[in-house]
Amino acid sequence: MRRRKQPVLVAVALCLGGALTACGGGDGGGFTAVGAGPSPGGAVGPSGAVELVPLETPTASGTISSTSSPPAPTRTAPAPATPSSTPPAPRPGTGAPAPGPAAVTVSAPVTADGDTRWCERVTVTFRNTGGSPATSGTVSFGTHVIGLLGLDWSTVTTSRPLPVPIAAGASRKQTYTVCVEEWRVPLGMRVDTREVTVSLR
């Protein structure tokens, strides 16, 4: 028995020591047969074969797993955003605005003496700042009766038609002769028109 074990140990040492090219590869499947021939001490060559088997690593759970590393996970790029094909809804109220109503303003009156002491010439300028033409209205005058010493005795209101039409954004200048009753202005007294207002219809 001692004579048969010595050639086997010698064959294993030769394979591990640098004769790996003769121990495996090709179609041999990793098996190498030790050649026959004279052995030191007259030993008989081995009749068996030597097989190299890779080692496997036991896991913590007791099972045997391969030592090769698993492949790294592949990162998936996010899908590009798809633009919406639905057109935006139109905003309400984008049409032309309806024209606004007429709005007539009047300037301060410019007065001048009339033909009699109870009449006066009054010039005013009307301006339509609205969006529609002024087609009808009334102008009212507040005329003060002034005494000989400058005392304001009374105020008389008279009305005249508005000079129409006045287009939107346009202005119009008009002179009126404004009179009060003769008996309201005794000799030595006079009239002074100070207030002018407009009323549209």
Side-chain angles (χ1 to χ4, degrees), residues 154-181:
S154 62
T155 301
V156 180
T157 301
T158 57
S159 297
R160 298 292 181 83
L162 181 70
V164 292
I166 305 175
S171 60
R172 185 167 181 177
K173 187 175 184 180
Q174 184 75 16
T175 299
Y176 296 89
T177 299
V178 179
C179 299
V180 301
E181 293 87 347

Side-chain angles (χ1 to χ4, degrees), residues 27-181:
D27 296 331
F31 296 93
T32 301
V34 179
S39 300
V44 179
S47 60
V50 178
E51 179 181 359
L52 298 180
V53 180
L55 297 178
E56 295 183 347
T57 304
T59 61
S61 60
T63 61
I64 297 175
S65 63
S66 175
T67 57
S68 60
S69 300
T74 302
R75 180 169 300 179
T76 304
T82 303
S84 176
S85 60
T86 304
R91 293 182 302 173
T94 55
V104 177
T105 60
V106 62
S107 66
V110 178
T111 60
D113 294 338
D115 296 337
T116 62
R117 64 178 184 274
W118 57 86
C119 292
E120 189 175 36
R121 294 177 63 84
V122 181
T123 302
V124 290
T125 299
F126 303 97
R127 185 179 301 276
N128 184 1
T129 60
S132 300
T135 57
S136 122
T138 302
V139 185
S140 298
F141 300 93
T143 302
H144 296 251
V145 178
I146 308 300
L148 182 61
L149 300 179
L151 184 63
D152 192 340
W153 285 76
S154 62
T155 301
V156 180
T157 301
T158 57
S159 297
R160 298 292 181 83
L162 181 70
V164 292
I166 305 175
S171 60
R172 185 167 181 177
K173 187 175 184 180
Q174 184 75 16
T175 299
Y176 296 89
T177 299
V178 179
C179 299
V180 301
E181 293 87 347

